[in-house]
Amino acid sequence: MPTARLRIAYDGSRFAGWADQPGQRTVQAELESGLERILGERIDLTVAGRTDAGVHATGQVASFEYGRELPDRPAERLNAVLPRDLAVLEAAPAADGFDARRSAKARVYRYRVLTSTVRDPLEERRALWWRYPVDRDLLDAAAAAVVGNHDFTAFTPTQTEHVLFERTVDACAWEAERDGVLALRIEALSFMRNQVRVLVGTMLEVGGGRRSLEELTALLNGAPRDAAGETAPPHGLYLTEVKY
């Protein structure tokens, strides 16, 4: 059967995450329902990254097999039946054998932090409001320490489906988006649940002088979860790109 590829964006605020869950509003369920309406057949989506409740996406990728011919302008037709907080940016046939999850070479996440003593209502569901002082040099050093292959046991929940805790982070750096807004860009082949959010929470402790850089580095050797920092809230996190 032929395969199609979707590039997707969504505001995760009112979704219970990507994955279909009985009785919950999810991105997967909304998309599969919309696809069934325009294609006339049941569709099962494979996704590059299963985002949690409240997490946003600007470059999520999903794939599916289909038996009937795709209509003209499939993205436009699909967006006409999707809710306002979910959109398909691109929809097109994919190469034989393409799988949104297994074919991925890297996933890129971005975590946005509003570093201001005054909250910004326009960033209320878009960035973590961090009213405390942060040392940008310490944040940069913390991000640099994360690059490479490490045991990230300290950065995922204790009760987890993961068996292997080593991950290789290809890139990790803080960037200034605009005055008062910093964003952590992090890239790896795969991430564990909450990994980016716990890294952000721990890095903010380093940037605020509550934890040393050496303490963060020691966490990368398989320390227990309770040794790391708080899990940053989901609304600052975005899946921005999947590389193939």
Side-chain angles (χ1 to χ4, degrees), residues 15-213:
F15 286 108
W18 165 270
D20 193 14
Q21 304 169 56
Q24 298 290 327
R25 182 175 186 260
T26 68
V27 180
Q28 181 180 5
E30 292 284 0
L31 268 174
E32 289 181 348
S33 175
L35 285 163
E36 185 172 358
R37 289 179 63 182
I38 69 165
L39 296 178
E41 61 179 309
R42 179 178 174 79
I43 295 297
D44 294 316
L45 288 169
T46 298
V47 72
R50 293 191 302 170
T51 52
D52 290 332
V55 175
H56 314 297
T58 59
Q60 176 71 278
V61 176
S63 60
F64 63 92
E65 294 183 337
Y66 58 97
R68 302 184 182 184
E69 186 175 351
L70 288 180
D72 293 336
R73 305 190 309 279
E76 293 179 35
R77 290 175 181 264
L78 189 49
N79 287 331
V81 301
L82 290 177
R84 303 278 297 189
D85 51 359
L86 169 62
V88 172
L89 306 178
E90 296 177 7
D96 290 344
F98 177 78
D99 182 288
R101 181 172 67 87
R102 295 182 180 87
S103 301
K105 303 299 184 185
R107 294 158 176 86
V108 182
Y109 282 87
R110 193 171 189 85
Y111 196 99
R112 304 179 67 246
V113 181
L114 173 65
T115 57
S116 171
T117 56
V118 179
R119 65 181 180 87
D120 183 344
L122 299 181
E123 296 285 3
E124 189 67 24
R125 296 184 302 171
R126 303 285 180 267
L128 166 64
W129 177 34
W130 191 258
R131 72 190 82 179
Y132 313 105
V134 289
D135 185 312
R136 176 62 190 277
D137 289 339
L138 287 175
L139 281 181
D140 290 343
V146 170
V147 176
N149 182 265
H150 305 287
D151 184 332
F152 287 96
T153 301
F155 300 93
T156 195
T158 301
Q159 300 299 323
T160 178
E161 62 185 22
H162 298 295
V163 177
L164 301 176
F165 296 90
E166 285 193 8
R167 294 292 187 276
T168 299
V169 173
D170 300 316
C172 185
W174 287 92
E175 303 169 350
E177 283 194 357
R178 62 174 177 83
D179 287 347
V181 176
L182 294 175
L184 180 74
R185 181 190 180 277
I186 185 167
E187 176 178 336
L189 171 60
S190 64
F191 293 90
M192 293 184 293
R193 186 183 176 198
N194 290 356
Q195 180 180 343
V196 177
R197 292 165 54 194
V198 180
L199 280 168
V200 168
T202 308
M203 288 185 196
L204 288 172
E205 291 184 0
V206 174
R210 295 163 51 200
R211 184 188 296 267
S212 70
L213 181 61

